[in-house]
Amino acid sequence: MPVYLKEQVERGGFVFGAFFEGTLIGFISLDGYLQGSAEKYANLTMLFIDDRFNRRGLGTCLFERICEEAKEIGATKLFISAIPSVETIAFYKKLGCVKAQENIPEYIDTQEDYCLEFLL
């Protein structure tokens, strides 16, 4: 496991993968460190699905699973710093994500990222 993901798990976070015939085709990760004004935001750090497996519900399934774990660690919202592509933003909005009410600098990857949140 890459160091970045290992550190997240060590802080109480989670990493889940989706596999097809023994090959990793997607994954999602959540940092266990809560932030924000009320320390209730969990950071969804990565969500990746191999392009060959898009539009099959894998991203939604992984997202729903990570939401369950975020609730377990005491989060009330997910924070998502997303690549600002039309397809990526549309995916998150379809799931019910909205523009983040609070920007958390420690969670933002680049200045170009679009910040979203999801109420758990």
Side-chain angles (χ1 to χ4, degrees), residues 14-114:
F14 299 87
V15 177
F16 294 105
F19 296 84
F20 178 73
E21 295 181 351
T23 301
L24 181 68
I25 59 169
F27 70 94
I28 193 166
S29 60
L30 179 80
D31 200 320
Y33 184 59
L34 302 181
Q35 290 253 353
S37 58
E39 295 186 356
K40 293 294 182 177
Y41 278 94
N43 188 15
L44 190 159
T45 57
M46 294 182 162
L47 173 57
F48 171 79
I49 303 295
D50 183 311
D51 289 341
R52 296 170 293 174
F53 294 90
N54 281 344
R55 293 177 180 71
R56 297 184 189 192
L58 293 173
T60 300
C61 182
L62 288 170
F63 185 86
E64 289 171 353
R65 181 71 174 102
I66 215 74
C67 285
E68 292 173 23
E69 299 303 333
K71 289 179 196 176
E72 288 294 318
I73 63 171
T76 58
K77 294 180 180 183
L78 283 184
F79 186 88
I80 302 134
S81 178
I83 296 168
S85 74
V86 172
E87 187 175 275
T88 299
I89 302 307
F91 168 76
Y92 283 118
K93 286 187 174 184
K94 179 181 157 200
L95 293 171
C97 299
V98 296
K99 184 173 173 135
Q101 293 178 2
E102 182 178 346
N103 281 338
I104 303 167
E106 296 86 358
Y107 288 173
I108 300 172
D109 296 322
T110 71
Q111 290 182 345
E112 292 80 32
D113 280 6
Y114 190 83

